[in-house]
Amino acid sequence: MSKNLKKLCLVSGLILSFLIITGVITYVMYPPERIKSILTEKLSISTGRKIHLGSAKISFLPIGISIENLKISQPNFNGFSKNQAVKLKQGTIVLALTSLLQGQVEVKKIQAQGFDLNFEVLKNGKTSLTGLGEDSSQQASKQTFDENSNKLNDLPVDVDLSDISLSDFNISYKNHQTKQEVKLEDLSFNSSLFISSNLQELKTTG
């Protein structure tokens, strides 16, 4: 066996050992039930809605977070024909390994399969968006607005999502005032999104 091949095997073994040890430590510190609990609580606070999450776990190939059976409820008003505003069968957020090794979190890819969006307008004018995030509005305003200038603060880093993939995407719109209904089913698309940290540049493709 050549020296170069031996070095390659040694490096590969070290990397594999590192990934295994990291995986074991991460699983012990953040088991699936804890990940599920953290995500459910954060989503509930940020949206002000009831959240149901079937499962959530950290994946290693690729590195990221996988969730299943996510449901976000409609506002707490009578009149909605569907209980959930959002339903997601399966979703994956893939993180960039090089950024993690530098102590930074960079989202590389977002994949969603079986995504249902139900938007309704009630007779009294309330919609599926009414009250969205109101439980955390005061905290959010402190974090995102400059009290002196009344404008959005810069982001800490650029937001660069090179791959956003949605499949089996369904949209349902129902207006109880006009009796209008629109349904779009089995949509699929790929896209990318870039937002500069100073909020001066926005690019989308797809």
Side-chain angles (χ1 to χ4, degrees):
M1 184 180 293
S2 66
K3 291 183 178 180
N4 290 334
L5 185 57
K6 287 181 179 180
K7 290 181 179 179
L8 179 61
C9 291
L10 178 60
V11 172
S12 300
L14 290 174
I15 294 175
L16 181 60
S17 299
F18 171 77
L19 291 175
I20 293 174
I21 293 173
T22 302
V24 172
I25 294 175
T26 303
Y27 185 86
V28 171
M29 295 180 63
Y30 296 98
E33 284 302 316
R34 185 177 180 189
I35 296 293
K36 174 182 173 180
S37 176
I38 292 173
L39 290 178
T40 300
E41 180 181 0
K42 295 296 183 182
L43 283 172
S44 180
I45 292 174
S46 62
T47 62
R49 303 289 178 82
K50 294 180 180 178
I51 303 296
H52 170 81
L53 183 57
S55 65
K57 61 182 180 180
I58 295 177
S59 59
F60 296 98
L61 292 174
I63 296 177
I65 298 176
S66 299
I67 62 175
E68 293 183 353
N69 298 323
L70 170 66
K71 298 178 182 178
I72 302 177
S73 71
Q74 296 279 16
N76 190 25
F77 305 121
N78 294 325
F80 289 101
S81 60
K82 295 185 178 181
N83 294 328
Q84 281 81 38
V86 175
K87 292 173 64 178
L88 176 62
K89 182 178 180 181
Q90 186 175 20
T92 303
I93 299 174
V94 179
L95 305 177
L97 177 59
T98 53
S99 297
L100 287 176
L101 294 176
Q102 297 173 1
Q104 301 175 348
V105 177
E106 177 186 347
V107 178
K108 184 178 181 181
K109 180 188 297 186
I110 294 179
Q111 296 176 317
Q113 180 180 7
F115 186 84
D116 295 346
L117 177 62
N118 302 313
F119 183 82
E120 298 188 38
V121 180
L122 301 182
K123 292 181 178 180
N124 59 11
K126 296 183 184 298
T127 73
S128 298
L129 297 179
T130 300
L132 185 65
E134 64 180 7
D135 290 347
S136 56
S137 60
Q138 293 181 351
Q139 179 180 0
S141 63
K142 292 180 181 179
Q143 292 177 344
T144 58
F145 286 92
D146 187 327
E147 294 180 356
N148 296 323
S149 61
N150 291 323
K151 67 179 182 179
L152 285 170
N153 288 328
D154 292 346
L155 299 173
V157 294
D158 293 340
V159 175
D160 191 0
L161 298 176
S162 59
D163 190 350
I164 303 175
S165 175
L166 296 179
S167 61
D168 191 14
F169 183 28
N170 305 302
I171 302 175
S172 174
Y173 170 81
K174 184 173 184 177
N175 192 318
H176 294 265
Q177 296 176 332
T178 63
K179 307 299 182 182
Q180 182 183 18
E181 290 189 46
V182 178
K183 288 186 178 181
L184 301 174
E185 298 179 336
D186 297 327
L187 303 176
S188 297
F189 70 88
N190 291 287
S191 166
S192 65
L193 172 67
F194 174 82
I195 305 175
S196 63
S197 59
N198 60 9
L199 303 179
Q200 298 299 310
E201 187 177 359
L202 171 64
K203 295 180 181 179
T204 61
T205 60

